[in-house]
Amino acid sequence: MVKAIRVHETGGPEVMRWEDVELGNPGKGEARIRHTAVGLNFIDIYFRSGLYPAPAGLPFTPGNEGAGTVVAVGEGVTHVAPGDRVAYVGPLGSYAEERLIPADRLVKIPEGVDDKTAAGMMLKGMTARYLLRKTYKVTSDTTLLFHAAAGGVGLIAGQWAAKLGATVIGTVGSEEKAELAKANGYTHVINYRTENFVERVREITGGKLCDVVYDSVGKDTYPGSLDCLRPLGMWVSFGQSSGPITDFNLGLLGPKGSLFATRPTLFTYIASRADLEETANDLFDVVRSGDVEIAVNQEYRLADAVKAHEDLQGRKTTGTTVLVP
């Protein structure tokens, strides 16, 4: 028996329970891993609340990323072995002391990266990587707007985009978060609680606006995000922390400048083993080089996941948060 967080009905943080679960031996193509740290992400709230349905239904164990040590492997597994330090993103089930997982989703953690850093950066770091290097290829000529700049993805993306030479504009909800964003690559930071972010983007850019807007907020930043884009710009909606956009009007894209809009997810970008390895290796490289620092700003016991979710939803956290079994 091992301990895990289980969700028997969707709802608020209180639906998560710390329970004993049976865990068998790994089957063909699987590995059993013992977690040393688990990442906390806003997508965990989407699954817990029922906004995103759990693929296998109820009950389920939440959590999409983690790091730990391989305990055992099943038939046909050759690229990892017992004793290896590994990290992963998806599938659901990381809020547990141990778990079974398809071994082809695991990547080895290189020397120079500790387990807590790895656990807290896989989903957020690889998200930043595909946003900046694949969805819209950011260069030194790019001017971009990144909402939730002091969040986990935002702090990584700010540093990474700055290293690429881009002009990086971010939005935050407090002066404290503004200072944090400025320390993590953002050229300009807008406090959306005291400033109109569309007007400020116009001022900052001298009316030229942005090439791309990265938007994980959703309802509260739409359609303002579209008004921050220059003609032929791209709106990248990759989350909805303030709630889903229920009235998206495709017809707006034309008169606002023949804009592009996309709703990407990380799991599409790392679906193949080759893409997973390429993405993870790029992330490990920028972290080990020091170009991107992963700041684990909060740490909770895994058994206290309810409190962690309350703080995350209450916007009381910044950067990366990990849960420790």
Side-chain angles (χ1 to χ4, degrees):
M1 301 287 280
V2 299
K3 287 283 191 180
I5 294 289
R6 298 289 283 168
V7 174
H8 294 267
E9 60 180 354
T10 57
E14 70 281 354
V15 302
M16 295 187 293
R17 305 176 190 171
W18 185 237
E19 297 180 344
D20 289 322
V21 295
E22 290 281 357
L23 193 64
N25 295 320
K28 185 176 181 179
E30 289 186 326
R32 177 168 174 163
I33 61 174
R34 180 178 299 116
H35 285 124
T36 49
V38 170
L40 176 73
N41 297 281
F42 222 94
I43 194 173
D44 303 347
I45 292 173
Y46 298 160
F47 281 109
R48 186 214 70 220
S49 68
L51 180 63
Y52 291 179
L58 295 167
F60 69 92
T61 295
N64 282 273
E65 69 177 346
T69 304
V70 176
V71 175
V73 298
E75 180 186 349
V77 176
T78 58
H79 69 281
V80 294
D84 285 344
R85 289 195 312 132
V86 293
Y88 66 91
V89 173
L92 281 179
S94 67
Y95 284 23
E97 292 176 328
E98 297 187 23
R99 72 169 298 181
L100 299 175
I101 188 170
D104 69 353
R105 293 292 87 192
L106 298 174
V107 295
K108 292 182 182 180
I109 303 172
E111 291 297 322
V113 178
D114 64 70
D115 287 16
K116 289 180 183 178
T117 299
M121 76 178 189
M122 297 303 292
L123 191 150
K124 290 176 280 291
M126 289 202 287
T127 296
R129 192 267 181 183
Y130 87 73
L131 291 174
L132 300 177
R133 308 307 292 148
K134 291 291 186 179
T135 303
Y136 185 97
K137 196 168 181 64
V138 171
T139 70
S140 58
D141 296 324
T142 303
T143 298
L144 67 88
L145 174 65
F146 208 102
H147 289 300
V153 179
L155 293 181
I156 296 171
Q159 296 175 72
W160 206 328
K163 290 297 181 182
L164 294 170
T167 300
V168 194
I169 307 169
T171 67
V172 297
S174 71
E175 289 307 311
E176 179 184 12
K177 290 184 176 182
E179 292 304 314
L180 185 60
K182 290 175 184 176
N184 283 272
Y186 286 87
T187 319
H188 308 277
V189 182
I190 302 165
N191 184 339
Y192 63 81
R193 296 189 188 279
T194 59
E195 302 174 286
N196 181 302
F197 72 83
V198 177
E199 292 178 0
R200 285 290 292 125
V201 165
R202 288 187 180 277
E203 293 173 5
I204 290 166
T205 62
K208 294 181 180 180
L209 304 178
C210 299
D211 300 289
V212 58
V213 173
Y214 295 107
D215 190 343
S216 64
V217 177
K219 179 171 64 70
D220 290 353
T221 48
Y222 176 83
S225 289
L226 302 182
D227 295 322
C228 295
L229 287 166
R230 62 187 55 167
L232 305 182
M234 178 177 286
W235 176 51
V236 183
S237 174
F238 69 101
Q240 48 198 31
S241 61
S242 69
I245 297 168
T246 57
D247 59 347
F248 175 66
N249 180 2
L250 188 66
L252 285 177
L253 302 180
K256 287 185 180 292
S258 299
L259 304 178
F260 295 87
T262 183
R263 180 58 171 90
T265 67
L266 170 63
F267 302 105
T268 306
Y269 283 85
I270 59 170
S272 74
R273 179 69 194 178
D275 286 339
L276 171 62
E277 290 181 345
E278 177 186 328
T279 302
N281 288 339
D282 277 358
L283 175 60
F284 286 138
D285 285 347
V286 296
V287 171
R288 295 173 75 191
S289 70
D291 287 344
V292 172
E293 180 181 351
I294 308 296
V296 178
N297 293 339
Q298 296 83 210
E299 183 177 318
Y300 300 80
R301 292 175 60 245
L302 182 55
D304 295 330
V306 170
K307 173 62 173 171
H309 274 227
E310 289 172 346
D311 289 351
L312 181 61
Q313 278 188 272
R315 301 185 185 277
K316 296 178 181 178
T317 64
T318 60
T320 297
T321 303
V322 296
L323 310 173
V324 180

